[in-house]
Amino acid sequence: MEVSVKRRLRLRPATPEDRTLLERWDAEPHVIAANPNDKWEWQAELAHPVDWRQQFIAEREGLPIGFIQILNPARDDSGYWGEVSEDLRAIDIWIGEPDELGKGYGTTMMQLALAHCFSDPSVSAVVIDPLAENRRAQRFYERLGFRFVEQRQFGDDICCVYRLERPDWLA
């Protein structure tokens, strides 16, 4: 899937050729700070796509700047989200390039991801899980219409679960 919108961003599917780029972004201090305990297995994930997860590279004028993962948390084989309904989607997002932070690209990336999620009429809501200590991320999601649901421990991380319902997104 390829989508283009305002701010000259497009999402393209991540491929095995993006592994080195994603590994480099994983080593960036701002990415580590947002996901200190996440250990992505890029080689395996990119080489073996599954139908319940989509991974995208965000590009600005052809240059990769960030990553988005959209998944059906009910089908995620890791069981990360626990027992949830089939009509949810979960999003992971980050700007990988430090020089691209603070320019509004994250908002555009999320708008693209949300439009993609809600283009499926069976999707009723989207969930996200920023770290509990990351108030900046929480405010970002709140500005997009997400509402706080609960604080929850995922592995070693204390996170705030936020949810955006379809009617709120449409409004």
Side-chain angles (χ1 to χ4, degrees), residues 14 30 39 55 66-67 72 76 83 98 102 108 127 130 137 142 144 163-165:
H30 69 280
K39 302 297 178 236
Q55 296 173 321
F67 174 79
N72 180 334
D76 178 0
E83 293 222 11
T108 303
V127 292
E142 289 165 359
L144 289 167
R163 184 176 170 122
L164 177 64
E165 302 288 337

Side-chain angles (χ1 to χ4, degrees), residues 38 73 76-82 92 129 152-155 157 159:
D38 281 353
D76 178 0
D77 58 14
S78 75
Y80 180 84
W81 286 93
D92 292 300
D129 62 334
R152 184 169 159 193
Q153 184 152 356
F154 291 101
D157 297 322
C159 298

Side-chain angles (χ1 to χ4, degrees), residues 68-87:
I68 293 179
Q69 174 172 263
I70 300 171
L71 59 87
N72 180 334
R75 297 184 58 210
D76 178 0
D77 58 14
S78 75
Y80 180 84
W81 286 93
E83 293 222 11
V84 295
S85 63
E86 187 72 33
D87 61 344

Side-chain angles (χ1 to χ4, degrees), residues 9 22 25-26 28-32 34-35 58-60 64-68 92-110 136 140-141:
L9 286 186
L22 290 163
W25 286 347
D26 277 351
E28 290 290 343
H30 69 280
V31 174
I32 293 169
N35 300 298
E59 293 183 336
R60 180 186 54 78
I65 65 164
F67 174 79
I68 293 179
D92 292 300
I93 176 176
W94 65 83
I95 302 286
E97 295 297 332
D99 294 348
E100 302 297 343
L101 293 168
K103 296 181 179 179
Y105 297 127
T107 299
T108 303
M109 288 169 62
M110 275 301 290
R136 184 175 178 194
F140 169 75
Y141 295 122

